[in-house]
Amino acid sequence: MKAFSQPRTLFRRRKQVEADIASALRALREGATIGLHLGAGTSRIEGMINCDLYNPNADRKVDATSLDGFENLSVDLIEHHHMIEHLSFDDFRRAVSEWHRVLKEGGHLVFTCPDIARICRRYLLLKVRGYLSDQSKETDYAIKMIVGSQEHEGMFHKNHFDPSRVRRIFPMHGFKVEYITAYPRRPTPSMLVIARKASGRN
């Protein structure tokens, strides 16, 4: 299985870092015989099986918490973007167990999600700025970062992570966290996590 080459972030321009991350992710995808893109929605990743429970244009109708259509140790790469925060605590436990089950030894789990620690810092900063000028619009948006935009059932946030919580929780489920970064940039402070299925546990 292709090893993940960690992009350096220190003393480098943002565009350089983002280009390196895109290149590293592309290499992981190209090295995967079977890769699952869960919660794909309208976004497609070339060469991956784009899975979604609700979008009729997905390659397969799949619930991220139940990968019954995939055998044990059959998948090289699982990837999802801004999906994990929509899983309740119970759904998360079921999902991460399924991801571990289907991934091969050394297989990669790649995901992005909001960084709740940075969001909370932004919210508190906006409250301080609010004493000097109207920050109500920005504050309302920061609250949406926490609870979700809530246009429909799938847009509620039910869980949150920051780097320290990721490093604490995922090893409990058989994953070694190899890389966490604040890139690529998004309006919502977010992080990219690369983890690998730890050896010696099925």
Side-chain angles (χ1 to χ4, degrees):
M1 231 162 295
K2 183 101 176 156
F4 175 69
S5 177
Q6 297 189 7
R8 291 186 304 104
T9 58
L10 198 62
F11 306 124
R12 301 187 69 217
R13 293 182 183 275
R14 188 178 79 182
K15 286 187 177 180
Q16 292 175 318
V17 175
E18 291 180 348
D20 283 356
I21 288 172
S23 177
L25 292 179
R26 190 162 50 249
L28 280 182
R29 293 164 186 161
E30 290 172 353
T33 303
I34 297 179
L36 305 183
H37 177 205
L38 303 178
T42 58
S43 174
R44 297 183 63 82
I45 298 177
E46 190 68 30
M48 302 275 283
I49 302 172
N50 295 280
C51 305
D52 198 273
L53 190 59
Y54 303 106
N55 191 320
N57 295 318
D59 298 326
R60 293 182 67 165
K61 184 177 181 179
V62 171
D63 183 341
T65 69
S66 178
L67 305 180
D68 293 342
F70 299 93
E71 297 182 357
N72 295 357
L73 307 173
S74 63
V75 174
D76 300 290
L77 171 65
I78 291 177
E79 187 169 346
H80 50 80
H81 298 284
H82 284 259
M83 181 271 288
I84 198 170
E85 66 271 19
H86 299 282
L87 301 178
S88 69
F89 295 159
D90 284 342
D91 284 342
F92 168 75
R93 282 190 288 269
R94 285 195 295 271
V96 76
S97 176
E98 279 290 87
W99 304 340
H100 188 275
R101 177 184 67 80
V102 302
L103 276 172
K104 297 176 182 177
E105 289 283 330
H108 281 95
L109 171 65
V110 175
F111 65 92
T112 56
C113 66
D115 181 340
I116 189 63
R118 290 166 57 216
I119 291 169
C120 288
R121 287 197 294 269
R122 176 178 290 190
Y123 177 79
L124 292 174
L125 179 60
L126 289 168
K127 295 296 288 184
V128 172
R129 288 178 178 172
Y131 290 111
L132 301 175
S133 62
D134 181 19
Q135 300 289 316
S136 56
K137 184 177 179 181
E138 292 81 1
T139 301
D140 287 347
Y141 183 71
I143 290 172
K144 285 187 177 182
M145 294 180 193
I146 298 170
V147 299
S149 54
Q150 304 189 5
E151 292 97 342
H152 55 76
E153 179 60 30
M155 295 303 289
F156 283 74
H157 290 178
K158 302 175 182 178
N159 212 331
H160 277 292
F161 300 87
D162 63 15
S164 63
R165 186 166 189 245
V166 167
R167 290 190 179 98
R168 177 172 59 85
I169 288 179
F170 277 83
M172 297 177 184
H173 296 278
F175 288 95
K176 179 183 178 184
V177 177
E178 295 189 329
Y179 187 71
I180 301 179
T181 184
Y183 291 90
R185 305 284 187 174
R186 288 177 62 110
T188 298
S190 302
M191 58 184 173
L192 167 72
V193 178
I194 312 282
R196 185 190 287 267
K197 180 175 174 176
S199 60
R201 180 178 164 177
N202 291 317

